[in-house]
Amino acid sequence: MSSSPSSAHWLSLVGSVWLQTINGPNADFPVYSSQLKEIKGISQVRLNFLASASDVGKVFGWFAGVAALHLPLWAVALTGAAFGLVGYGVQFLFLDSPRLAYWHLFLLTSLAGNGICWINTVCYLLCINNFPSDSRVAVSLATSYLGLSAKFYTTVAETLPRAARARYSTTKVYLLLNAVVPMAVTLVAAPSLRVVEMVKQECNRNKRRSQAPFLAMFAITLATGACAIIGSVGAKSIGLSTREHMVSFFVLLALPLLIPVGLRVRKSMAKIREAKWENRVHDHDSDGPETAVSVSVVEIEVVEDKREEEEQRQEAEQQSSSSSSQEEVGGLRLLRKLDFWLYFFSYMFSGTLGLVFLNNLGQIAESRGLADASTLVSLSSSFGFFGRLLPAFLDYYTAKSGYSLSRTGSMAALMAPMSGAFFLLLHPRHMSLYASTAVVGTCTGAITSVAASATNELFGTKNFGVNHNVVVANIPLGSLCFGYLAAYLYQRGARGGSRCMGAACYRDTFILWGATCALGTALCAVLYARSRGSAGKRLYPARR
């Protein structure tokens, strides 16, 4: 093996972080949706269906789970990037052509949306398999960067040369970025996208040494999120130019690479010190003082090994008792489980509903009289990032004491403030819009991050790749239903025109969305009550 297991594991997490950062090209749709509506001359209802097209592609996301069972993970990721290259690339090339009909746009966007599932599946599997003892933390850390996708694309678009922005419309600029960036980043990250095997002794050593890299990763991630928020709401007020912000943002995205590099250097230095020590031992007589030192070292190592074996035995007993109560569910059996349907609809009435709100931000901002939706989109992206990061913090610090938080309980707790945010949107002031967007973005990000581990918690690890893609099939269903409802009420408020202005345009929509999210909270509370017997208990001995 060319690199140590520890550094290889962290390199795969860095690759996952980069993939997640660019794996939300559909998140920038609100920025150019109004212009696309004018270019293609489509109604608000058809525009909302187009906003849902990316989610429709997730209906077939389970193909990615099946492919991951038979193909190398780097090949799965490249396939997903290729779908996005074709889906958005064809739209970029032929957007101004009348031959590119509405149904072409829908199918191409659906293809690109399906590609998102392929890349997500790779990231989930890498985190779960390469960090078996810290899989929840790794998943939450990696998926938190998905919340920065909209911010990433808006930042790149704003810093493009003026000649490029003058030559292409805003819509074509974003379509080009959505097509090219994921493929370029996937090609760069491809060598790191592999599951790394470790022997048991190495696993035990890495458990003790994993705290420092995780703390470093948390610090870098927090700094990246702070940079994103400053760029969204306060860059001009502190005298930071757009280009300076972009450079600092990109530097922070590259910083996680220092963790595997540092681990690699540390292992190389340890090997050099070990070689020097062996030479010193061989250079002295067996009766010399070095022999006594070496014997002491051996005795210490034997004690350490015995302690590691005891901890490993206790952990195995705890995990076996946990796994014995957790049934591995897959295939059609999944659809016959009441817990699955409670989970399916509670997710649809919360996380998916939040995604629909974010997809409609462009039209909501326009109806409220905001000229530029990019600030609002960047704000939702930045707070969504911190929402996705929140579960990683909780998991890391609770795991140190040997306990595991219930994912279904966490989801229920996140849905309640989200429901309140929809009702707050009834207030016509801009401050209410910004505050509600921040809350919905945070809760949606946290719910989507928690959901990956919730699927694992409820239905087991064996069929995770397929099971989770079946669960996220709620996204296209909810997106179509809630999106159509919002578009229908908007169109009715427009009274035959193409635009509706005023807070009343989305008033009834916000009331229905708030009530629906409250129902989702109740369903998730029932799911938590049913599953809490195997959730939140002590899973393994507390870490030292």
Side-chain angles (χ1 to χ4, degrees), residues 2 49 86 111 141 146 175 193 202 207 300 327 446 505 527:
S2 60
F49 279 130
V86 174
L111 177 65
L141 268 172
L146 185 61
L175 289 174
L193 307 180
E202 190 67 34
K207 285 181 187 177
I300 293 173
E327 182 183 5
C505 298
L527 177 62

Side-chain angles (χ1 to χ4, degrees), residues 278-347:
E278 291 177 353
N279 291 334
R280 289 176 61 190
V281 171
H282 289 303
D283 288 342
H284 288 76
D285 294 332
S286 59
D287 295 332
E290 289 291 340
T291 303
V293 174
S294 62
V295 170
S296 300
V297 171
V298 170
E299 290 176 351
I300 293 173
E301 289 180 349
V302 169
V303 172
E304 286 290 325
D305 289 340
K306 288 183 177 179
R307 191 183 70 173
E308 289 173 1
E309 289 176 1
E310 179 64 20
E311 289 182 356
Q312 184 181 5
R313 184 186 63 78
Q314 292 178 5
E315 181 178 342
E317 290 175 356
Q318 294 287 345
Q319 289 180 340
S320 63
S321 63
S322 174
S323 61
S324 63
S325 63
Q326 181 191 56
E327 182 183 5
E328 291 285 348
V329 181
L332 294 177
R333 290 182 57 216
L334 184 70
L335 303 181
R336 293 197 292 265
K337 290 283 187 180
L338 175 60
D339 286 355
F340 168 77
W341 293 108
L342 288 172
Y343 180 38
F344 185 90
F345 285 109
S346 61
Y347 191 161

